[in-house]
């Protein structure tokens, strides 16, 4: 699978990925839920790159709100670019805004909010972590 990512140039996080056959529905079009998984994949790569514990015991990042507008289909083998920008940083909640493109064509626009949890409780961002996220 072809992947590429880049962190912090003031324009958010960029993640490039090939749409796999497993990401498509029976008609060969990117399945709506699998395209959301690509967003989550990009988020996790970004957050791990910044040093956040995404998979450490006791840590979780549940999604509490999701909005998506699908604009154009993506097919198996298509290379898609995900632009992920933290659009709101709360005490322990983080809202991401995403644009997914295939060349010059917008595939989808989305946003979702995650809450940072530790052992089942909200876990506030430190000032340093907030600065890291704001630097994207």
């Amino acid at each position: 699978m072809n992947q590429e990512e880049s962190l912090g140039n003031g324009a958010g996080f960029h993640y490039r990925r090939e749409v796999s056959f497993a990401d498509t529905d029976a008609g060969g079009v990117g399945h709506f839920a699998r395209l959301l998984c690509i967003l989550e994949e990009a988020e996790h790569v970004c957050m791990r790159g910044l040093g956040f514990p995404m998979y450490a015991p006791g840590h979780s990042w549940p999604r509490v709100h999701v909005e998506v507008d699908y604009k154009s289909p993506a097919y198996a083998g298509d290379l898609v670019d995900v632009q992920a920008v933290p659009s709101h940083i709360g005490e322990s909640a983080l809202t991401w805004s995403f644009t997914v493109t295939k060349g010059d064509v917008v595939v989808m626009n989305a946003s979702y909010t995650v809450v940072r949890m530790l052992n089942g409780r909200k876990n506030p961002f430190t000032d340093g972590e907030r600065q890291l996220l704001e630097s994207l």
Side-chain angles (χ1 to χ4, degrees):
M1 183 174 303
N2 199 359
Q3 288 182 223
E4 170 186 312
E5 65 260 357
S6 61
L7 273 172
N9 58 7
F13 176 74
H14 174 255
Y15 183 71
R16 177 174 286 168
R17 175 165 159 334
E18 184 178 295
V19 176
S20 71
F21 178 76
D23 296 325
T24 64
D25 62 17
V29 177
H31 187 272
F32 75 96
R34 292 292 301 159
L35 294 177
L36 286 171
C37 290
I38 293 173
L39 302 182
E40 184 177 27
E41 188 179 299
E43 172 207 354
H44 285 201
V45 170
C46 176
M47 294 296 278
R48 284 193 325 262
L50 292 172
F52 284 89
M54 298 306 291
Y55 308 125
H59 290 267
S60 62
W61 299 80
R63 276 101 194 97
V64 297
H65 183 80
V66 178
E67 290 184 31
V68 184
D69 288 314
Y70 296 95
K71 303 290 189 181
S72 181
Y75 301 95
D78 285 348
L79 202 56
V80 294
D81 291 295
V82 178
Q83 198 67 29
V85 178
S87 55
H88 178 74
I89 305 165
E91 183 179 332
S92 59
L94 174 60
T95 300
W96 289 96
S97 293
F98 299 94
T99 300
V100 179
T101 56
K102 180 177 66 174
D104 292 335
V105 177
V106 175
V107 172
M108 64 192 283
N109 293 311
S111 68
Y112 62 61
T113 301
V114 297
V115 177
R116 183 181 190 193
M117 306 288 285
L118 178 60
N119 298 320
R121 295 176 188 247
K122 291 180 182 178
N123 185 17
F125 294 108
T126 66
D127 290 340
E129 291 168 336
R130 186 177 303 284
Q131 288 175 350
L132 276 175
L133 292 167
E134 289 170 349
S135 73
L136 287 176

